[in-house]
Amino acid sequence: MERARALARRLGLGAVFAGARRARLVEDPTRFVLREITGAGPSCYRLRSSGLHICLRHRTPDGYALDQALLEDHFALPDPVLVVLKGRVGPLRVLDLGANIGLFGVAVLAHFPDAEFVSFEPETSNALVLRAVVAANGREDRWQVVEACAAARDGTVAFEVGGFGISRVVESGAEAIEMPAKDVFPYLREADLVKIDIEGAEWEILEDPRLSETTASAIHVEYHARLGAGQNPAGHARGLLERAGYCVFPFRRHGEREGILWAWRES
């Protein structure tokens, strides 16, 4: 198999192998592979595992986002988190900061089919795919999309567009545009589960004293070595979450400077 992959790379067929691997996730793998080869525009598919729908742009970084979410289980809920969330009464209220194309929401719906969502996604091209996911799953009345940057205060920020899942807030730059930012703490006061993956802009939210006042039972954080992360981003994120009253589980590391933490409050 390794020889076949090496040959495919030399022949420029790496996308075929990647597409075939991802195609196993969906109920129409042939259409998926063909569109992966041709680079067709946004397309929606029904997942084999859950019957839910995903949407993505072929031959773009959306494929890597799909790999991380569904093949590498970046959104897998640890057992303590599942126990806490399943012990609740009523629909799960989810706040997704940095929703990209909605894969976290789809992963959560597999466990909590009655969940209600508020998803922040500032980049228009990503938000269009996200809205397609909402519609494909018939969730228009339970899934709100907020096209603004997640922040600790209302205002505007410098934002680099065109990066798909890694478009981000920056301090300044010739490629940056002015983007609206919205204070997320009113939303945090009404959430049970929060996901934060905003490419370095997470620090002002994690450092805000209001984090200890949130109702969230669990938080998924992808931390990044940007915008005030310090020399030890993992330790800094963990300390801030513990200060806010959470137990913290270091779920996954991407090298020394980025990774994923899960945090939860024991009932």
Side-chain angles (χ1 to χ4, degrees):
M1 179 61 74
E2 285 304 318
R3 289 182 179 179
R5 287 175 178 159
L7 177 61
R9 285 192 292 270
R10 288 198 297 272
L11 296 175
L13 298 178
V16 177
F17 273 93
R21 183 168 175 255
R22 294 164 187 153
R24 297 198 300 264
L25 295 167
V26 304
E27 291 186 351
D28 191 353
T30 301
R31 180 168 66 97
F32 189 102
V33 171
L34 289 174
R35 294 195 171 191
E36 192 75 359
I37 293 169
T38 61
S43 303
C44 295
Y45 302 92
R46 185 181 177 93
L47 292 172
R48 291 178 184 270
S49 59
S50 63
L52 296 166
H53 290 83
I54 59 168
C55 302
L56 76 159
R57 294 155 289 191
H58 287 282
R59 302 289 289 275
T60 75
D62 288 356
Y64 298 115
L66 181 61
D67 291 346
Q68 291 180 334
L70 300 181
L71 292 175
E72 300 171 15
D73 290 331
H74 281 207
F75 298 143
L77 279 65
D79 288 341
V81 172
L82 274 173
V83 169
V84 167
L85 295 180
K86 286 185 178 292
R88 295 179 50 271
V89 176
L92 185 73
R93 300 169 300 175
V94 183
L95 176 61
D96 187 353
L97 306 181
N100 192 19
I101 58 172
L103 293 170
F104 180 75
V106 172
V108 171
L109 281 172
H111 293 281
F112 300 93
D114 294 329
E116 301 172 350
F117 295 86
V118 176
S119 293
F120 276 62
E121 177 47 56
E123 179 146 356
T124 300
S125 58
N126 295 337
L128 286 171
V129 182
L130 173 60
R131 291 184 188 278
V133 171
V134 174
N137 287 292
R139 291 275 162 171
E140 293 92 338
D141 60 337
R142 294 188 178 185
W143 197 329
Q144 178 186 356
V145 177
V146 180
E147 291 192 43
C149 295
R153 62 191 63 80
D154 292 338
T156 59
V157 293
F159 191 83
E160 284 190 350
V161 300
F164 292 83
I166 59 170
S167 296
R168 60 183 184 262
V169 174
V170 294
E171 292 178 343
S172 62
E175 301 301 321
I177 64 171
E178 189 173 79
M179 189 74 75
K182 199 168 185 65
D183 185 355
V184 300
F185 280 91
Y187 298 89
L188 278 162
R189 284 195 290 269
E190 299 179 356
D192 303 306
L193 171 62
V194 179
K195 187 264 268 176
I196 307 174
D197 181 6
I198 48 179
E199 301 298 319
E202 64 269 13
W203 299 110
E204 71 170 41
I205 295 171
L206 296 177
E207 291 170 356
D208 195 298
R210 292 176 292 171
L211 186 64
S212 62
E213 302 168 5
T214 177
T215 60
S217 300
I219 301 179
H220 173 285
V221 176
E222 183 161 328
Y223 60 86
H224 307 82
R226 301 189 188 101
L227 300 179
Q231 295 302 308
N232 180 12
H236 188 38
R238 180 169 192 156
L240 293 170
L241 288 163
E242 289 176 342
R243 186 181 74 181
Y246 289 93
C247 303
V248 180
F249 174 61
F251 184 70
R252 189 184 300 267
R253 296 191 75 162
H254 311 311
E256 292 300 315
R257 308 289 282 164
E258 298 183 356
I260 298 169
L261 298 176
W262 271 103
W264 68 94
R265 285 195 177 117
E266 295 182 345
S267 36

